[in-house]
Amino acid sequence: SAVISQKPSRDICQRGTSLTIQCQVDSQVTMMFWYRQQPGQSLTLIATANQGSEATYESGFVIDKFPISRPNLTFSTLTVSNMSPEDSSIYLCSVGGTGGSYNEQFFGPGTRLTVL
Amino acid sequence: GQNIDQPTEMTATEGAIVQINCTYQTSGFNGLFWYQQHAGEAPTFLSYNVLDGLEEKGRFSSFLSRSKGYSYLLLKELQMKDSASYLCAVRDQGGGYNKLIFGAGTRLAVHP
């Protein structure tokens, strides 16, 4: 299984500011995904981070609000821009396709964001 | 469209067996995952089914019927530490990417 780390683990931010979350994987992976989990709810996919091209966003999520970088096969960042209290959530990085296997998908420890 | 349904809450007794059901409708099915999530923690991978039938892994088993759009997670010899949310997720290859679509999760409470 892949070992995934995220930074920061948690943060408290002011309305109108931006936060960049980092995701680092210990092996090269084809696909990286960013999810959001709002309090008491399940996971919602924000976007698929593609190496060498723009991210693919799900309905309801836009690049201006959630810009994503994927500079190489082991790293990605998600920025939450112009934050509001509604963005308070856990943001999770997920990877799949490690070692060519598509029967696994793992999650990082998450970043717990509180917006005041 | 995509739709994944699972019960919101279940309770069970320590030592017993519990079955958590999941039904789904997706446009491009490419596998079904079950995850366990304890409060405040990230989801932990439990199982993956892509072919019909039962996959057994220790105390946990997962079943899939693609024709019925149905899966279940079976937990045997329940322990108190099994109290958690269990998430059913379907891999959808629509659009060319194998993304996971999650159900709302089932909160399981195991009591003595």
Side-chain angles (χ1 to χ4, degrees), chain A residues 31 33 35 37 42-43 45 48 50 56 58 92 102-109 112, chain B residues 33 35 37 40-43 45 48 87 91 97-105 107:
Chain A
M31 294 177 287
F33 305 89
Y35 285 83
Q37 188 172 28
S42 191
L43 284 76
L45 180 63
T48 302
N50 310 305
T56 303
E58 297 300 306
L92 296 138
Y102 284 83
N103 64 351
E104 300 173 320
Q105 188 158 333
F106 301 100
F107 285 83
R112 186 179 296 270
Chain B
F33 294 75
Y35 288 86
Q37 187 176 29
E41 299 182 11
F45 171 79
Y48 170 76
L87 309 176
R91 175 180 278 157
Y97 295 101
N98 289 279
K99 59 189 182 186
L100 289 189
I101 309 300
F102 281 82
R107 283 192 303 278

Side-chain angles (χ1 to χ4, degrees), chain B residues 12-18 59 75-79 82 108 110:
Chain B
T13 305
E14 192 175 16
I17 299 173
V18 71
R59 293 190 299 115
L75 293 75
K76 303 176 185 176
E77 301 170 14
L78 280 171
Q79 303 174 8
D82 296 329
L108 174 66
V110 180

